[in-house]
Amino acid sequence: MPVRIREEDFVKIIRWKLGLPGGGENLADVQQKWAELQKNPAEYKHVVEQVSLRLGHLLAAALRAKITGEPSANFAWSSELSDLFVKWAKDNERAVSPKLSGTILAAVKGKAPPTQARPAPPMVRPIPKKPTGLHPQAGQSPTPPPLPPPLPTRLAIPNEQPPPLPSVDPPPMLEVIEPIAPAPTDWDPNVSEQQAGSPPPSMWQYKGLPNDPEQHTEHDARAMANPPEGFKVFGARVRGKKHKHDGTNCDDWFEFGQSGPWTVIAVADGAGSYKFSRIGAKVACETAVKELAADLGKVSLERRDTVAEWAAAQAQSPIHYQFAGRDIQDVQKAMYRAVRKAFQAVKTAHEERSGSPEYEACLPPNRRPLDIKEFSSTLLLAVHHAVRVDGKDWSFVMACQVGDGMTGAIHKHGTAHPLGTADSGSYSGETEFLTSSGKTDEPYLAKKIHAFLGPVQAIVVMTDGVADDYFPGTEHLGRLWGDLVVNRIPEVIVPGDEEIANAISGTGLPTLDELKAANIGVSAEVIDGRTPRNTVHLKSSEDYAEKLQISVEALLKHPTVLLAGTQTPGKLEGATSEDRLRVWLDAYHVRGSFDDRTLVVMHREALP
Amino acid sequence: MSEFTGRRLPIYLVLDCSGSMAGEPIEAVRQGVKALIADLKGDPQALETAFLSVITFDSGARQVIPLTELMLFQEPNLDAAGSTALGEAIKLLEQAIDKEVKKSTPGQKGDWRPLVFIMTDGQPTDSWQVAADSIKSKKLGNIIACAAGPGADANPLKRITEIVVKLDNLQPDTLKQFFKWVSDSIKTTSASVQQVAADAPVGLPPPPPQIQSVP
């Protein structure tokens, strides 16, 4: 009969046995559970075997690092462990040394080590918990009313008070499951399932920037010096793993600006296969922000006190998608103009450099003379204006995009709303660019404009390098916001201990102590010129939600709990939001994701 | 390990295993595939995204290895005997791509455009024209075809794809160079698979001396 032990208690038991902290305060309780486990000798032996083997892999990684001289990036304390082992062997020369030599010899001769001679024993493992977000008996919790269907207007309607957090399911049983394969050689307890498909750290190389004309900086991180009242605006872009490996440029760019009450954001992604796409991205962003700031400086939004008035103004005509409200129409026209001007700027950039030997020399013979295609880039624009509706502070946002990437709004109540859709072909990477034909025509752009009104926590604008890792936006945009918050990228005011304790009491991390001990992240490698490579600890809102035993959606609806995630171990380095954003963008790992990454965040100072 | 739901780079190897390949040539092909895999395993991007499949053809055609991720790929046993059913191979290739390669939808991440390498040492012995026209018109992938050795006919290959290369002979060293070039092509194309306009031509590395481009 399987032993009933909670996963957390099992960890406590082993930690207690190893003499480590985190064994829990209630020693008698832990000791009793240990005795219970020992009542099933077969299971007990298997469990101990598996835990010891797994922990032994940590030592194996340390020894490997010592022998090869290549530090295991995921395992920062490797040298101390391997030194300890060596000391132990030295101190016990007569007893240990011959055994050590024998083991090494056997390894060379290809003999199976004694512990693996028999097939891997079944592992006693807790049943994985699925975050349900809801107590089974409580029934469906009320959700905010759905948004009105017609494309492309979006009018967010304020919803009721979010429901209280559900309490957790009954504790799981330990149950014997099918035998597991021996752990992979580079097994690291910090590596999540998701990272299992990635190559060992040293495979991705770092090469500096090339000596091409118009070198762009490898990365950038900036904040708006004078953001609109009550808001912060910051952004960062980084060179993707692929470009670092090949020693090519970062092709992304971002700009933002303020014109009276209007905040203007532009983000662009130069096409990887074209030589000067970074220049296209840069001039497109700079021009778009400049033009929009100038145009919108002349546009005042009408005062509309009710949701109904706004809904009427945001209605769009059927064929031309023209907004009903005259002022909103003006904003729409300003967006069109900005896209056209951005394209003009790219054209000019091409003309200015056309025929120049320095540039032509960078191209293979079959791509000369310099064509405008070499400046291909996407472009995402977003404008924001604070408004008062029903006596509350709301935001009016209009977004427009050519190509891929994503703009989104995070609603005050934690729901996430993509603003627009990416251009894409049937295969990956096939997208449209500013320089593709027809992308500045009104009929095309009209379908790419998206208006939003509602109380927001944040607006985010990003290139595909980030958007693709939170795909589809309709399901994962909220998780992106969650990730930014738990890593404390936006400056937030963390609730007090008592408030947190009350909010988390019904969850899988029911006490402040457990929360503060919970590991909700993974170690990520920093790929720069340094050797050995540094790592940073990056938290995941998905991991956090799982430990809390709630869904990510529920987590986002409970800001106190979400903000409490910043209190888990590990702090992202960086004195400012934009620095921390840059570190996060640079280091987070998703298999198959190695493009340049750019993200601009505009968020309310007081969250939510 | 949970299934990879990200964007994969599908690579199809379509290999002639007819009687004329028997002996040294087919062994060299086998070694070439093995070397290709080993080479790709040294490339971090390939490790994360490359998925490979092998289709062989002689008197018939079969997909001996379905699309499989690089780390789990085991090179196939290749035997050579029989005629050269290139048409069946192309038809099978089209079906395999249709079935295995994911298209981009609002809810699903599409794979990168597949890379196909076809190698034959002779003339097709079945009716291949319909299959060739079909696959060419559908633009299912970037197809690179190789006419290997003096007995190979480049014309049918030209009907399948613009990119046709010719190998002088079937010597082990020549085949080794070919597979090295395949590996380099995969790595180079990977660089430009990110963000290409739908019809942009794939930029390949220059072939080594034993391989000539067929205009």
Side-chain angles (χ1 to χ4, degrees):
Chain A
M1 193 180 119
V3 179
R4 300 181 82 100
I5 295 189
R6 281 174 58 160
E7 191 184 359
E8 297 87 344
D9 288 337
F10 186 73
V11 173
K12 279 185 196 160
I13 289 169
I14 300 296
R15 290 186 74 102
W16 163 64
K17 267 291 174 180
L18 291 172
L20 295 171
E25 308 95 30
N26 198 344
L27 191 60
D29 192 37
V30 174
Q31 284 170 325
Q32 194 216 0
K33 295 216 164 83
W34 181 249
E36 253 183 339
L37 183 60
Q38 285 181 290
K39 281 183 190 152
N40 264 289
E43 265 171 66
Y44 166 68
K45 273 194 185 144
H46 290 159
V47 167
V48 169
E49 175 83 312
Q50 281 302 309
V51 170
S52 308
L53 270 175
R54 291 265 182 170
L55 290 174
H57 278 286
L58 298 181
L59 182 58
L63 288 168
R64 191 179 316 115
K66 188 154 178 95
I67 294 168
T68 60
E70 276 165 17
S72 170
N74 279 339
F75 194 59
W77 23 289
S78 56
S79 63
E80 279 157 38
L81 245 195
S82 53
D83 286 339
L84 254 167
F85 181 80
V86 170
K87 181 177 185 299
W88 168 75
K90 269 198 203 155
D91 289 349
N92 297 281
E93 255 275 288
R94 280 191 52 212
V96 171
S97 190
K99 284 203 181 117
L100 202 62
S101 301
T103 306
I104 296 168
L105 206 59
V108 166
K109 286 184 175 167
K111 285 197 193 150
T115 49
Q116 279 162 11
R118 45 169 204 278
M123 168 71 162
V124 179
R125 205 161 76 161
I127 302 168
K129 287 173 277 213
K130 282 207 177 329
T132 58
L134 297 168
H135 193 278
Q137 278 116 42
Q140 288 288 316
S141 65
T143 50
L147 298 171
L151 262 191
T153 309
R154 287 286 175 272
L155 185 66
I157 300 166
N159 54 9
E160 314 91 15
Q161 207 46 34
L165 274 172
S167 52
V168 301
D169 289 338
M173 270 186 356
L174 273 174
E175 200 180 65
V176 177
I177 59 172
E178 65 274 5
I180 53 169
T185 47
D186 227 5
W187 186 77
D188 181 306
N190 288 325
V191 174
S192 67
E193 285 267 290
Q194 206 184 28
Q195 284 193 325
S198 70
S202 52
M203 293 229 70
W204 284 104
Q205 289 169 28
Y206 177 87
K207 297 191 184 90
L209 295 168
N211 273 327
D212 289 345
E214 274 180 87
Q215 205 183 67
H216 284 185
T217 53
E218 185 174 29
H219 50 72
D220 189 18
R222 277 177 272 138
M224 203 182 259
N226 294 309
E229 171 135 13
F231 285 93
K232 293 262 164 75
V233 181
F234 61 92
R237 67 172 173 85
V238 298
R239 196 159 65 131
K241 286 221 246 304
K242 181 75 189 153
H243 286 158
K244 285 179 181 175
H245 188 80
D246 293 342
T248 47
N249 277 293
C250 173
D251 289 327
D252 278 7
W253 200 265
F254 73 93
E255 288 293 341
F256 40 64
Q258 190 73 20
S259 176
W262 291 98
T263 306
V264 177
I265 297 168
V267 159
D269 183 355
S273 46
Y274 291 116
K275 201 69 183 164
F276 301 111
S277 56
R278 67 186 179 285
I279 302 177
K282 177 173 186 267
V283 304
C285 284
E286 288 173 339
T287 306
V289 167
K290 191 177 105 204
E291 296 291 331
L292 272 171
D295 280 352
L296 292 176
K298 304 179 203 122
V299 177
S300 303
L301 284 184
E302 277 175 41
R303 205 187 105 160
R304 297 179 181 95
D305 293 320
T306 65
V307 170
E309 284 174 274
W310 276 102
Q314 274 179 246
Q316 283 177 279
S317 64
I319 299 164
H320 300 288
Y321 296 95
Q322 204 174 58
F323 289 101
R326 184 59 197 276
D327 53 340
I328 304 180
Q329 249 181 59
D330 288 342
V331 181
Q332 182 179 19
K333 293 203 181 107
M335 300 286 271
Y336 294 156
R337 261 200 305 275
V339 174
R340 279 198 286 271
K341 293 277 185 176
F343 170 65
Q344 285 300 323
V346 175
K347 230 172 137 221
T348 306
H350 164 237
E351 282 156 15
E352 284 170 353
R353 292 156 182 82
S354 187
S356 154
E358 205 195 345
Y359 289 82
E360 303 277 349
C362 296
L363 299 167
N366 66 343
R367 272 156 69 180
R368 294 179 203 156
L370 185 66
D371 189 271
I372 194 174
K373 274 211 294 279
E374 301 291 342
F375 296 80
S376 295
S377 172
T378 65
L379 181 64
L380 293 96
L381 302 177
V383 299
H384 173 281
H385 189 304
V387 294
R388 294 277 294 174
V389 182
D390 279 343
K392 302 198 197 75
D393 289 324
W394 278 24
S395 292
F396 171 82
V397 181
M398 193 176 288
C400 179
Q401 72 181 93
V402 176
D404 54 21
M406 173 166 63
T407 298
I410 312 296
H411 191 282
K412 183 176 151 140
H413 289 286
T415 51
H417 309 273
L419 305 180
T421 46
D423 290 318
S424 73
S426 6
Y427 290 121
S428 269
E430 287 167 6
T431 188
E432 304 287 348
F433 302 110
L434 209 51
T435 41
S436 315
S437 88
K439 302 309 146 194
T440 55
D441 298 339
E442 242 180 67
Y444 165 79
L445 287 175
K447 297 199 188 102
K448 310 295 295 179
I449 292 249
H450 208 100
F452 175 94
L453 182 85
V456 302
Q457 291 189 57
I459 303 291
V460 288
V461 190
M462 70 201 83
T463 57
D464 194 49
V466 183
D468 212 39
D469 299 330
Y470 292 91
F471 173 95
T474 44
E475 284 171 43
H476 294 280
L477 176 60
R479 185 167 61 84
L480 166 61
W481 177 243
D483 287 346
L484 296 177
V485 173
V486 297
N487 282 292
R488 206 162 181 178
I489 289 169
E491 293 284 358
V492 294
I493 300 163
V494 181
D497 279 356
E498 204 181 309
E499 208 186 320
I500 295 178
N502 284 334
I504 60 177
S505 60
T507 70
L509 296 171
T511 66
L512 204 54
D513 277 346
E514 283 178 83
L515 176 88
K516 287 188 173 173
N519 176 13
I520 63 168
V522 293
S523 197
E525 184 191 30
V526 176
I527 300 171
D528 54 19
R530 270 183 279 221
T531 48
R533 289 198 174 147
N534 285 343
T535 57
V536 289
H537 184 83
L538 299 182
K539 301 180 190 183
S540 146
S541 54
E542 191 173 41
D543 283 356
Y544 183 40
E546 202 175 301
K547 291 213 152 64
L548 290 165
Q549 296 176 46
I550 61 177
S551 66
V552 172
E553 288 78 19
L555 175 63
L556 294 167
K557 291 193 182 111
H558 293 87
T560 305
V561 182
L562 180 61
L563 289 166
T566 58
Q567 305 303 94
T568 55
K571 288 250 174 301
L572 203 56
E573 60 178 63
T576 61
S577 283
E578 62 269 26
D579 284 339
R580 293 191 294 273
L581 177 61
R582 188 195 64 74
V583 172
W584 179 75
L585 284 174
D586 190 59
Y588 83 73
H589 172 85
V590 170
R591 178 177 166 184
S593 162
F594 25 72
D595 200 358
D596 299 330
R597 294 172 180 163
T598 299
L599 177 63
V600 174
V601 180
M602 173 174 185
H603 72 91
R604 283 204 171 270
E605 270 183 300
L607 290 171
Chain B
M1 187 163 75
S2 49
E3 204 198 303
F4 176 48
T5 52
R7 303 185 191 274
R8 312 171 301 173
L9 176 61
I11 301 161
Y12 288 87
L13 303 176
V14 183
L15 305 172
D16 184 336
C17 292
S18 57
S20 46
M21 293 288 290
E24 243 184 13
I26 198 70
E27 179 55 29
V29 169
R30 209 184 134 255
Q31 291 300 328
V33 172
K34 201 165 156 188
L36 168 68
I37 299 304
D39 205 25
L40 288 179
K41 281 184 180 170
D43 179 73
Q45 192 177 354
L47 274 169
E48 292 194 15
T49 59
F51 278 63
L52 294 106
S53 163
V54 178
I55 292 174
T56 59
F57 62 100
D58 37 51
S59 308
R62 66 214 60 81
Q63 188 181 26
V64 293
I65 303 181
L67 207 59
T68 305
E69 75 174 276
L70 181 61
M71 281 314 288
L72 301 176
F73 187 93
Q74 306 272 15
E75 75 268 8
N77 272 326
L78 298 174
D79 294 312
S83 50
T84 311
L86 178 67
E88 272 204 52
I90 300 305
K91 209 166 96 184
L92 185 58
L93 170 68
E94 198 182 309
Q95 285 167 2
I97 291 178
D98 239 356
K99 192 175 97 176
E100 294 174 323
V101 176
K102 290 184 287 178
K103 290 272 169 84
S104 290
T105 69
Q108 173 177 268
K109 287 193 197 183
D111 293 325
W112 300 105
R113 188 177 280 278
L115 267 174
V116 180
F117 296 91
I118 304 174
M119 197 180 86
T120 180
D121 79 322
Q123 310 205 351
T125 52
D126 64 350
S127 71
W128 53 270
Q129 292 89 335
V130 170
D133 291 343
S134 171
I135 207 168
K136 184 161 194 179
S137 66
K138 292 207 178 141
K139 298 190 199 249
L140 289 176
N142 291 312
I143 303 179
I144 294 144
C146 173
D153 189 353
N155 289 319
L157 301 178
K158 265 287 169 188
R159 195 149 159 179
I160 296 168
T161 172
E162 289 295 316
I163 311 170
V164 179
V165 296
K166 199 164 165 49
L167 298 184
D168 290 336
N169 55 58
L170 292 163
Q171 296 297 318
D173 189 61
T174 308
L175 285 167
K176 184 173 160 192
Q177 290 303 318
F178 171 69
F179 280 100
K180 179 77 180 57
W181 180 71
V182 168
S183 176
D184 290 343
S185 301
I186 292 170
K187 291 189 228 172
T188 312
T189 314
S190 297
S192 60
V193 291
Q194 311 227 4
Q195 282 204 317
V196 289
D199 287 327
V202 54
L204 295 171
Q210 297 94 327
I211 305 176
Q212 296 109 41
S213 225
V214 177

